[in-house]
């Protein structure tokens, strides 16, 4: 908050408080306006000055620097001095301040103790404000630091996805080129479209779900090119996908894992991929048969990556269930978009 606004709100607060108590006193006790002005405005300004002396001078120069002895000494001297100033003002306006309702003069000791007690209250109020402001500032700093940490971690996780995917895709295209397959140029084009999406459209925290699903379709098409006529994959999308947003590159690791460790050339056990979108919820289902020589293969950094991203980006908004058996791998993800 800018200093001009701080001054405005502080001034507004004190004027409102003084006006409120003046109105209450005038209404209930029928006190004369001159008495109200002396009591609330004069003493109010003294107490407010004590409040800001502690808040702006003593706390920053002594308390924040851990000079506790000097801080307590300065407070004690100031409170005692302010007590004399208040008594001096009372002497000037003796009729309005030092004269009780019974007409007797209030003794110096009684008045001085009461004046010092009031001063202590304003000192405590300034301390309360200081610690409250500090608490909120520290909370905001901690939130900013946590957000920066999460952003850095997410950037690292996302940077892991691109090389991981690119490495596997280039291996697939290399195999096609080595075999001199006719669909090698088509595979390169698909990879180009995929990389364009990853480089230029995934910079936001969330992307259009329709674009993300098209990216997944391009990836699946690339894998089908790799396997040729012997690829068997059922990819199904149900529900309205327009006007929906999702964190980019979230589902690709599951699908990539299905092609890497699963069987894609068995017509009796095709890779099953289904995405259902309904009322702001996305349900993802994947099932694949495992390769005989890959049954115990771990998911690698891909699945660890996506699990960590889910925890960071969808806290308490997702449910992930993975059933990893000796022969099959099943993944079910429910996500609040």
């Amino acid at each position: 908050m800018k200093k001009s606004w701080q001054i405005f709100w502080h001034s507004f607060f004190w004027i409102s408080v003084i006006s409120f108590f003046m109105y209450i006193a005038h209404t209930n006790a029928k006190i004369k306006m001159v008495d109200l002005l002396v009591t609330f405005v004069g003493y109010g300004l003294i107490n407010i000055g004590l409040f800001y002396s502690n808040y702006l001078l003593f706390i920053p120069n002594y308390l924040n620097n851990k000079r506790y002895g000097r801080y307590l000494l300065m407070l004690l001297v100031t409170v005692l001095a302010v007590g004399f100033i208040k008594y001096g003002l009372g002497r000037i306006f003796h009729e309005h301040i030092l004269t009780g309702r019974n007409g007797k003069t209030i003794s110096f000791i009684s008045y001085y103790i009461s004046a010092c007690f009031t001063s202590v209250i304003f000192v405590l109020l300034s301390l309360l404000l200081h610690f409250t402001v500090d608490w909120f500032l520290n909370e905001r700093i901690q939130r900013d630091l946590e957000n920066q940490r999460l952003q850095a971690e997410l950037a690292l996780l996302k940077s892991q996805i691109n090389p991981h995917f690119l490495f596997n895709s280039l291996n697939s295209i290399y195999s096609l080129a080595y075999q001199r397959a006719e669909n090698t140029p088509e595979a390169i084009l698909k990879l180009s479209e995929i990389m364009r999406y990853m480089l230029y459209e995934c910079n936001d925290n969330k992307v259009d779900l329709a674009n993300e699903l098209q990216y997944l379709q391009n990836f699946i098409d690339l894998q089908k090119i790799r396997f040729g006529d012997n690829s068997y994959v059922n990819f199904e999308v149900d529900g309205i996908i327009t006007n929906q947003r999702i964190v980019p590159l979230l589902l690709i690791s599951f699908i990539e894992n299905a092609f890497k460790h699963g069987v894609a050339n068995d017509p009796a056990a095709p890779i099953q991929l289904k995405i259902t979108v309904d009322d702001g919820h996305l349900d993802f289902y994947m099932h694949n048969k495992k390769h005989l020589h890959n049954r115990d293969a771990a998911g690698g950094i891909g699945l660890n990556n996506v699990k960590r991203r889910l925890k960071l980006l969808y806290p308490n908004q997702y449910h992930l269930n993975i059933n990893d058996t000796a022969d099959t791998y099943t993944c079910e993800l429910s996500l609040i978009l």
Side-chain angles (χ1 to χ4, degrees), residues 23 32-33 46 57 84 120 133 142 147 150 161 166 189 208-209 211 277 328 335:
Y23 173 77
K32 295 179 181 180
M33 186 57 64
I46 293 174
L57 295 176
F84 283 107
V120 170
V133 170
Q142 290 300 320
N147 287 335
L150 291 178
I161 293 174
L166 181 61
L189 180 61
D208 290 339
L209 178 60
N211 293 340
V277 182
T328 62
L335 189 68

Side-chain angles (χ1 to χ4, degrees), residues 11 34 49 56 79 81 84 118 128 146 155 173 203 209 252 275 323 325 335:
S11 302
V34 63
L56 299 176
V79 168
F84 283 107
T118 303
L128 178 63
E146 180 66 13
I173 294 177
N203 295 324
L209 178 60
I252 184 60
I275 295 176
N323 186 20
T325 68
L335 189 68

Side-chain angles (χ1 to χ4, degrees), residues 3-222:
K3 286 189 176 181
S4 57
W5 278 107
Q6 288 181 342
I7 294 173
F8 169 78
W9 286 114
H10 280 244
S11 302
F12 177 79
F13 172 78
W14 291 116
I15 292 172
S16 299
V17 169
I18 292 175
S19 301
F20 174 75
F21 282 105
M22 286 181 63
Y23 173 77
I24 295 297
H26 181 66
T27 303
N28 295 338
K30 305 298 182 182
I31 301 176
K32 295 179 181 180
M33 186 57 64
V34 63
D35 296 340
L36 292 175
L37 289 174
V38 171
T39 303
F40 287 98
V41 177
Y43 284 90
L45 291 176
I46 293 174
N47 289 323
I48 292 172
L50 178 61
F51 178 96
Y52 285 108
S53 294
N54 184 47
Y55 185 72
L56 299 176
L57 295 176
F58 300 155
I59 292 177
N61 293 326
Y62 302 113
L63 186 62
N64 289 349
N65 294 325
K66 298 182 179 180
R67 300 166 66 182
Y68 303 121
R70 181 65 63 86
Y71 174 71
L72 292 176
L73 178 62
M74 292 299 296
L75 277 185
L76 179 61
V77 172
T78 303
V79 168
L80 295 177
V82 167
F84 283 107
I85 293 174
K86 289 180 178 179
Y87 183 76
L89 184 63
R91 293 283 296 177
I92 296 174
F93 299 96
H94 184 279
E95 179 183 353
H96 306 294
I97 298 175
L98 295 182
T99 303
R101 292 184 179 181
N102 55 6
K104 294 183 178 180
T105 300
I106 301 174
S107 67
F108 169 77
I109 296 298
S110 298
Y111 182 83
Y112 187 77
I113 292 174
S114 176
C116 289
F117 178 76
T118 303
S119 298
V120 170
I121 291 177
F122 277 84
V123 168
L124 293 177
L125 287 175
S126 63
L127 278 170
L128 178 63
L129 176 64
H130 168 75
F131 288 122
T132 302
V133 170
D134 266 8
W135 184 84
F136 279 106
L137 287 177
N138 287 332
E139 283 293 306
R140 187 176 67 180
I141 291 172
Q142 290 300 320
R143 286 197 303 269
D144 290 343
L145 290 175
E146 180 66 13
N147 287 335
Q148 291 175 12
R149 184 189 68 80
L150 291 178
Q151 291 296 328
E153 185 171 355
L154 287 173
L156 175 62
L157 291 172
K158 189 174 179 181
S159 69
Q160 289 177 346
I161 293 174
N162 295 354
H164 186 217
F165 166 77
L166 181 61
F167 175 78
N168 292 333
S169 298
L170 288 176
N171 273 345
S172 299
I173 294 177
Y174 172 78
S175 298
L176 292 175
Y178 184 79
Q179 298 168 13
R180 300 182 182 276
E182 295 181 356
N183 52 4
T184 302
E186 183 182 354
I188 295 175
L189 180 61
K190 286 291 182 182
L191 178 60
S192 174
E193 293 176 355
I194 290 171
M195 295 306 297
R196 178 185 57 81
Y197 174 78
M198 296 172 72
L199 291 174
Y200 299 111
E201 299 184 29
C202 293
N203 295 324
D204 295 332
N205 292 331
K206 289 191 175 182
V207 296
D208 290 339
L209 178 60
N211 293 340
E212 183 73 8
L213 295 183
Q214 182 58 52
Y215 159 69
L216 297 180
Q217 182 65 66
N218 287 337
F219 175 83
I220 294 170
D221 291 342
L222 181 61

